[in-house]
Amino acid sequence: MSAPPLNQPLSRPDPTLPVGMFDSGVGGFTVFRELKKVLPNEPVVYYGDTANIPYGDRDPQLIRKWAKNILAFLLQKNVKAIAIACNISSSVLTAEDLAQVPVPVFGLVYNGAAAALQATKNSRIGVIATAATVETGSYVRTIRSFNPRAEVTQSACPKFVPFTESGVFNGNEVDKAVREYIAPLKEKGVDTVIYGCTHYPLLEQAITKHLDGVQMIDPAVEIVEELAAYLHTNDLLHSATRQDDMIYASDLNEHFFSTAELFLNRDIRPLTQEVKLNLPEQKA
Ligand code: DGL
């Protein structure tokens, strides 16, 4: 089932170059964290569009335009491969958009869908995601393209990103929201649930305690596995000498730093720079 990257890279990049990654905010740190677990020597260039978060409430065409700007920025930073650490960007970028990118690009949706189908026993899969990702139907389409009989139940969880972006990972309000959002999945008897937004694994404890016996799929794990396999097969892994990472955000704020520290286990301030790429007033 594995066919990444999503595009045809144009030339063989230099293995010592960094891996590019982006999200609307801190959610992509779940992919960043996973990459460092699997490939600790790979330098990362990360972009978080924190000035425009949440993407999940926006017009898909505007998100697509913003995601294309971020891809161009990462290419300027000379990355050798790109992991789209944002489900909604992964859902709205088209094959044509990705064909313009000269380095290999990896997305979350394909990998998450494939992993869920491998895990499910009853072919009933749940997807928790932002309203925009649910609206694109990207997970439903991709899962059904592999198995037309699979039953996919989606649930939009608009409160989850604001919780994580403000440093709230548990408590009564979170519990209440989790119960509300997973009710339709329980009703359908899903045995597997995909984190369809990279912010959601930050709420893992709060979510999984209400989903006893259900397999959770984190596409961050799958995308990193595919990226690692690709770099390995193509002899593109970085040598043992570690370069440092660079983290860009459109609005650097205390919460961005503290969440990074919590999930990446380090103070990212010395690696960080504020760069605004996408104007909020921009029209699609
Ligand atoms: N983390 C992003 C995703 O995976 C979206 C968060 C947002 O709404 O900005 O889709």
Side-chain angles (χ1 to χ4, degrees), residues 12 72 90 93 102 121 128 195 221 244:
R12 187 179 184 281
S90 204
L93 284 164
K121 300 266 185 297
I128 48 174
Y195 288 114
V221 175
D244 222 341

Side-chain angles (χ1 to χ4, degrees), residues 13 22 24 117 121 135 162 194 224 226 228 239 261 268 274-275 280:
F22 72 94
S24 55
L117 276 165
K121 300 266 185 297
E135 207 178 300
I194 303 173
V224 167
E226 294 299 346
S239 67
E261 191 155 357
I268 62 159
E274 188 167 285
V275 175

Side-chain angles (χ1 to χ4, degrees), residues 64-144:
R64 179 177 161 216
K65 188 169 181 169
W66 286 350
K68 282 163 66 175
N69 288 346
I70 301 172
L71 285 172
F73 174 76
L74 292 174
L75 290 173
Q76 267 173 32
K77 296 290 159 200
N78 231 350
V79 295
K80 68 179 170 194
I82 296 175
I84 305 175
C86 172
N87 286 269
I88 181 61
S89 301
S90 204
S91 302
V92 298
L93 284 164
T94 64
E96 262 165 32
D97 299 335
L98 298 177
Q100 322 270 332
V101 182
V103 300
V105 181
F106 295 81
L108 293 155
V109 177
Y110 184 97
N111 289 299
L117 276 165
Q118 259 157 24
T120 184
K121 300 266 185 297
N122 67 5
S123 297
R124 291 186 193 161
I125 297 170
V127 180
I128 48 174
T130 61
T133 296
V134 165
E135 207 178 300
T136 66
S138 57
Y139 273 102
V140 180
R141 254 195 328 279
T142 311
I143 292 170
R144 295 248 174 86

Side-chain angles (χ1 to χ4, degrees), residues 232-253:
H232 180 73
T233 312
N234 292 280
D235 209 9
L236 287 172
L237 285 171
H238 197 276
S239 67
T241 333
R242 190 173 184 281
Q243 281 168 279
D244 222 341
D245 309 311
M246 250 336 271
I247 300 179
Y248 300 90
S250 45
D251 176 24
L252 282 180
N253 55 62

Side-chain angles (χ1 to χ4, degrees), residues 164-233:
T164 56
E165 285 288 329
S166 53
V168 177
F169 301 111
N170 45 48
N172 287 345
E173 285 303 300
V174 177
D175 267 350
K176 206 172 132 206
V178 172
R179 276 199 300 272
E180 177 193 331
Y181 296 149
I182 63 173
L185 308 184
K186 286 191 151 179
E187 214 168 280
K188 292 283 173 148
V190 304
D191 70 351
T192 304
V193 171
I194 303 173
Y195 288 114
C197 170
T198 50
H199 282 72
Y200 298 179
L202 301 173
L203 297 171
E204 183 181 5
Q205 280 183 337
I207 295 172
T208 53
K209 75 176 180 206
H210 294 286
L211 280 170
D212 210 20
V214 168
Q215 290 228 54
M216 299 302 297
I217 300 295
D218 182 358
V221 175
E222 321 303 326
I223 192 177
V224 167
E225 207 172 278
E226 294 299 346
L227 173 64
Y230 180 86
L231 295 179
H232 180 73
T233 312

